[in-house]
Amino acid sequence: GVAYSSFDGSWGVLAGGRILQLGPPREVYLRPSSPAVARALGSPPMNEFEVERHDERWCARDGTALCSAAPGGPMRALLGVRAEHVAPEGGAVAAVLEVVEDVGPHRILVARFAGTRIHLLAPRNFAAQPGQTIRPRIAAERVVLWAR
């Protein structure tokens, strides 16, 4: 996908000569209409989990409860969440850090969590090193769901 900006300030994401999404930049970034749009924008990339609804929670394939699920909606989905919406502390399930990268005022953390690799953004002063255990907390109000 390719992102572009128009004269009116809107963003568009193109793939294969088709417009996948057009709208205000913040909306396109935070509420991508599809996984293809999500993958085209942002660094680090949006985290993705195949999920099922269990007792008002979204659970990953390995059974890890990721966050609360609003009433209604699909029973299965692809859940997307940006790195800046995953806190390195406060969750119930442990993850192991694989990579710690300093980037300006933040640290990009890469961790093994819920059967996959995820990216998190942490403040520069967050003490972290590879091999360390953290407990990621996903901001449920910031997730994006694509029905499966």
Side-chain angles (χ1 to χ4, degrees):
V2 176
Y4 74 90
S5 179
S6 69
F7 290 111
D8 69 358
S10 294
W11 267 9
V13 177
L14 302 169
R18 291 186 12 230
I19 297 174
L20 301 180
Q21 186 173 354
L22 181 65
R26 187 135 181 90
E27 179 183 322
V28 174
Y29 178 76
L30 292 176
R31 308 303 283 165
S33 61
S34 69
V37 172
R39 291 180 197 120
L41 301 172
S43 181
M46 183 174 258
N47 298 299
E48 297 178 6
F49 300 90
E50 292 283 345
V51 294
E52 290 188 8
R53 181 188 296 270
H54 292 283
D55 300 323
E56 300 179 10
R57 309 269 313 153
W58 286 116
C59 295
R61 280 187 180 167
D62 72 350
T64 302
L66 300 174
C67 62
S68 61
M75 291 302 293
R76 289 193 172 123
L78 181 64
L79 181 149
V81 63
R82 296 269 178 214
E84 59 267 31
H85 300 137
V86 183
E89 299 176 310
V93 179
V96 177
L97 288 177
E98 295 180 343
V99 177
V100 177
E101 181 181 356
D102 292 327
V103 288
H106 298 96
R107 297 184 119 178
I108 296 175
L109 309 178
V110 179
R112 179 67 51 190
F113 177 67
T116 193
R117 273 180 125 192
I118 65 165
H119 293 83
L120 307 85
L121 272 186
R124 180 71 175 248
N125 63 355
F126 181 77
Q129 60 185 5
Q132 178 181 335
T133 298
I134 60 172
R135 294 189 174 276
R137 181 178 44 82
I138 294 173
E141 69 279 5
R142 295 295 196 161
V143 303
V144 179
L145 296 170
W146 300 286
R148 288 303 222 199

